[in-house]
Structure formats: structure tokens, C-alpha cells
């Protein structure tokens, strides 16, 4: 389970960095608060089903199912 040692939000952060998109612009694109996007990308909050569905629409390489499964594995890793 060593592959799940980073928060799911790190996937989001890498996506934004690779494309040169600010968290503020991204938050507007998915109709979310900038604070929520920042907290998620910094690993301060868990990925929710609603947010995963929003991300799925703008991240072609990240389906909601994949992101939620990753989140579950990451939380299990932290618990262990």
C-alpha cells in the first residue's frame, strides 16, 4: 500500500501545476470555493463524492471513481 502515501489533493495540485492553472481559476471552473480547493490540494480535507464528480468533468485523467478509490486507500494507509 506504499503507493498511497500522498493525499488525493496532491493529484489535483499536480494537475493544476502542469497546466498552469491557479487554484482560484480552477475553483471558479468547478463552482467551488477557492478555500475548499486549496484545502483539498494541501491535504487538509478529504475528497468528497460531490467534489470528485466536479473534478471528473475538468480532469480528463481522473475519473470520480479513481479519485474516490485513491482517497479511501490513502485514508486506510493513514489509519494503519
Amino acid at each position: 500500500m506504499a503507493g498511497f502515501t500522498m493525499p488525493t489533493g496532491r493529484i489535483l495540485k499536480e494537475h493544476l501545476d502542469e497546466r498552469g492553472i491557479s487554484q482560484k481559476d480552477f475553483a471558479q471552473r468547478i463552482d467551488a470555493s477557492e478555500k475548499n480547493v486549496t484545502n483539498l490540494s494541501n491535504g487538509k480535507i478529504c475528497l468528497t463524492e460531490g467534489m470528485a464528480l466536479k473534478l471528473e468533468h475538468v480532469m480528463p485523467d481522473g475519473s470520480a471513481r479513481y479519485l474516490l478509490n485513491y482517497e479511501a486507500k490513502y485514508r486506510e494507509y493513514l489509519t494503519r
Side-chain angles (χ1 to χ4, degrees), residues 2-3 10-12 15 17 21 24 35 37-38 47 50 63 67:
R10 181 83 180 261
I11 296 169
L12 169 60
H15 173 83
D17 290 347
I21 302 170
K24 181 178 181 177
K35 182 178 180 178
V37 170
T38 299
L47 179 68
S63 71
L67 294 170

Side-chain angles (χ1 to χ4, degrees), residues 2 6 10 13 15-16 18 24 26 28-33 36 51 53 55-56 58 60 67 72-73 75-78:
M6 68 177 184
R10 181 83 180 261
K13 185 167 179 24
H15 173 83
L16 297 178
E18 288 172 4
K24 181 178 181 177
F26 189 75
Q28 290 173 344
R29 288 182 191 185
I30 64 169
D31 193 30
S33 73
N36 202 17
M51 180 61 83
L53 289 171
L55 295 178
E56 179 179 67
V58 294
L67 294 170
K73 294 287 186 181
R75 295 293 157 194
E76 179 183 353
Y77 169 80
L78 291 179

